[in-house]
Amino acid sequence: PKKARAMVVDDEHFSHNIIKNFLNRMSIDMLEGAFDGMSAYRKYVDYVEQGENPQIVTMDLTMPIMDGKTAAKKIREFEVQRKMKPCTLIVISGNCSESEIAECINPLGGIRANAFLKKPANIEELMRVIARHCKGTVTLSLQRNFSAPLL
């Protein structure tokens, strides 16, 4: 299997860097992420057009310019238009209602997130989600002595 590529989308620099550093330590190639939904969507499209498809996208919901739900829906629409394998989309967000979470992970909805992690999410939880959804398609490894809450 080839190495996975990931993109982190979060407007909070602290959260963004912690998630990015963790994924990097899992031997996942990090693509430049985004700090708002509009940039996230544009970068995702650019990466796909360059043949650098991100296999993993982590997405915050509350962001400036375009929120995470809208960006995720646009990414999913783009994937359908291109008839491509969808990325593993992991929503990592705080202050969410149960109905928002259900909307994000509904397999028939526009977002179709593979998982929803509430902040503060922990590293082991994120690792389990990635291992479950990327099994057999990517190389995942982690230095054993790394364990910390995300936020």
Side-chain angles (χ1 to χ4, degrees):
K2 60 183 180 176
K3 269 181 113 175
R5 282 184 292 278
M7 184 171 97
V8 175
V9 184
D10 197 315
D11 64 318
E12 294 175 15
H13 288 266
F14 178 77
S15 300
H16 188 107
N17 288 333
I18 290 209
I19 296 166
K20 182 177 165 185
N21 289 338
F22 170 71
L23 294 175
N24 203 20
R25 290 181 79 162
M26 281 183 76
S27 298
I28 293 172
D29 286 338
M30 296 308 302
L31 298 167
E32 184 182 339
F35 296 93
D36 68 80
M38 181 64 77
S39 296
Y41 172 68
R42 288 186 178 144
K43 284 182 180 189
Y44 187 84
V45 169
D46 288 346
Y47 288 135
V48 170
E49 289 176 347
Q50 296 163 16
E52 293 288 318
N53 302 29
Q55 285 87 18
I56 301 163
V57 175
T58 67
M59 180 79 67
D60 186 19
L61 293 184
T62 309
M63 293 184 292
I65 304 173
M66 179 190 289
D67 66 45
K69 280 188 213 175
T70 305
K73 285 178 185 175
K74 289 176 75 66
I75 286 170
R76 292 304 196 208
E77 288 166 5
F78 175 74
E79 291 169 338
V80 168
Q81 289 167 356
R82 293 291 288 256
K83 296 180 173 72
M84 60 184 278
K85 183 178 192 254
C87 68
T88 297
L89 179 66
I90 303 167
V91 175
I92 303 176
S93 199
N95 301 321
C96 299
S97 67
E98 292 302 316
S99 63
E100 278 183 302
I101 295 169
E103 176 190 354
C104 288
I105 59 175
N106 179 348
L108 303 176
I111 298 168
R112 294 189 319 281
N114 298 88
F116 191 110
L117 303 180
K118 275 186 170 181
K119 289 181 182 176
N122 69 46
I123 295 304
E124 290 80 13
E125 198 175 1
L126 180 58
M127 191 168 73
R128 275 194 299 275
V129 168
I130 291 171
R132 183 171 65 244
H133 290 284
C134 298
K135 189 171 38 184
T137 60
V138 295
T139 301
L140 300 174
S141 67
L142 178 63
Q143 297 169 7
R144 279 267 145 243
N145 60 353
F146 186 73
S147 179
L150 277 182
L151 305 171

